[in-house]
Amino acid sequence: MSGFACKDCEDSGWVDTPDGSAVVACHCRAQLVAGRRSRSLSGVIPRRYQGTSFDRPPVSSMPAAQVELVRTYVRDLDKRLEEGRGLWFFGGVGTGKTTLAMLVSQAAIEARRSVAIYSLPRLLAEIRGTFEDDGEGSYVDLLDRLAEIDLLQIDDLGAEKTSAWVLEQLYSIINSRYEEQRSVIVTTNLERDALSEQIGERTVSRLEEMCELCPLFGTDQRRFEAVDMRDKDQPPAPDLRLA
Ligand SMILES: Nc1ncnc2c1ncn2[C@@H]1O[C@H](COP(=O)(O)OP(=O)(O)OP(=O)(O)O)[C@@H](O)[C@H]1O
Ligand SMILES: [Mg+2]
């Protein structure tokens, strides 16, 4: 194994012409540049969700229709990303929305597509941060990078109320992906109207057209289960009440 993704240019992006008289861009250069740009975004599956698989719990014990919808998306990943189609996971706390969303992002990363994964509060903080740090340059750069990656996952949509200005930036990101037909995956606890109230009607409307809805129901899977820990072989505890 050479250790290089492209053995023609050894990941430099440039190759010599056959007669050796010039250097030209390698066939992989566009992908290489896109990969470098997207690496500065958050494209890492958080530890809790790493190695998630259709064959193992918790996914194997999730509702079959919803899992099938995700499985189909992953099977047709190239086509879905080409068409800019996404998924919208909606449901109560602890019902598996992020788990399924991460499964899709993980499949896209494995297929060597560029992926960025954010919770909405983190994404908004990053947008604000570009203004606080070093001005407009990095801000425009962040929006450009978020617009051009293959898959953008935004978790916890509507999790915080934020300023009109920040929501306008979120709209910008979603709208440019909408126009360029690039996929978005979102998770939210909020019903459509409540979400629209939190992040704006125009943003929600575009997401709705871009995504297929995957509703998740049921109880919070993080909750403690009450287990009877009393030892069945022990005699019942003495009645200590005074006569
Ligand atoms: N159907 C299920 N069966 C078993 N465990 C599950 C199921 N759904 C989720 N879990 C587990 O419950 C926990 C919460 O899952 P996850 O983070 O995907 O929920 P969520 O819907 O994104 O919650 P939140 O709305 O709080 O973000 C995880 O540990 C996950 O493995
Ligand atoms: Mg979640």
Side-chain angles (χ1 to χ4, degrees):
M1 279 256 304
S2 67
F4 294 109
C6 176
K7 59 182 176 357
D8 297 334
C9 68
E10 298 190 341
D11 296 347
S12 71
W14 302 99
V15 284
D16 293 331
T17 52
D19 64 2
S21 64
V23 173
V24 293
C26 181
H27 58 84
C28 74
R29 184 159 169 75
Q31 200 184 2
L32 191 79
V33 171
R36 277 187 196 144
R37 281 169 70 81
S38 71
R39 267 197 285 285
S40 55
L41 299 171
S42 172
V44 181
I45 305 284
R47 191 159 163 219
R48 173 169 299 281
Y49 301 100
Q50 280 174 17
T52 308
S53 154
F54 285 107
D55 314 323
R56 284 194 300 273
V59 181
S60 57
S61 58
M62 286 184 190
Q66 283 81 340
V67 172
E68 194 50 35
L69 196 143
V70 176
R71 197 193 295 272
T72 307
Y73 187 98
V74 167
R75 195 193 58 214
D76 301 340
L77 187 70
D78 281 336
K79 184 165 171 283
R80 297 289 178 103
L81 295 184
E82 225 47 63
E83 293 169 348
R85 301 297 305 153
L87 291 171
W88 172 315
F89 295 98
F90 161 71
V93 171
T95 52
K97 302 178 297 296
T98 303
T99 305
L100 291 176
M102 291 291 179
L103 197 52
V104 175
S105 288
Q106 184 178 278
I109 291 168
E110 279 163 12
R112 300 181 63 100
R113 308 299 295 244
S114 51
V115 179
I117 301 166
Y118 285 96
S119 70
L120 184 62
R122 226 202 100 201
L123 179 62
L124 299 182
E126 199 137 319
I127 294 172
R128 282 190 214 101
T130 58
F131 268 78
E132 283 154 17
D133 294 348
D134 41 14
E136 190 111 353
S138 59
Y139 164 73
V140 172
D141 196 44
L142 174 65
L143 290 200
D144 281 351
R145 280 178 287 140
L146 288 168
E148 71 188 19
I149 43 146
D150 294 324
L151 181 66
L152 174 61
Q153 176 183 332
I154 309 179
D155 227 356
D156 293 335
L157 219 51
E160 69 171 328
K161 187 93 185 147
T162 187
S163 71
W165 181 85
V166 171
L167 289 182
E168 200 50 39
Q169 313 319 313
L170 176 65
Y171 168 75
S172 265
I173 295 165
I174 299 301
N175 188 49
S176 55
R177 295 189 69 80
Y178 174 78
E179 288 179 348
E180 293 303 319
Q181 292 193 292
R182 293 199 196 274
S183 302
V184 178
I185 291 198
V186 297
T187 76
T188 184
N189 292 318
L190 297 182
E191 299 271 1
R192 194 207 180 284
D193 289 349
L195 182 62
S196 166
E197 187 111 324
Q198 286 282 77
I199 67 167
E201 175 66 22
R202 287 181 305 157
T203 302
V204 173
S205 167
R206 280 160 183 73
L207 285 172
E208 223 173 349
E209 187 181 339
M210 297 160 84
C211 296
E212 189 174 351
L213 181 65
C214 184
L216 286 149
F217 306 101
T219 52
D220 181 354
Q221 298 293 320
R222 296 191 190 97
R223 283 179 84 138
F224 287 133
E225 293 257 329
V227 181
D228 188 349
M229 295 164 85
R230 285 172 297 187
D231 190 337
K232 306 267 184 317
D233 298 330
Q234 290 295 311
D239 188 348
L240 298 177
R241 283 173 301 180
L242 294 172

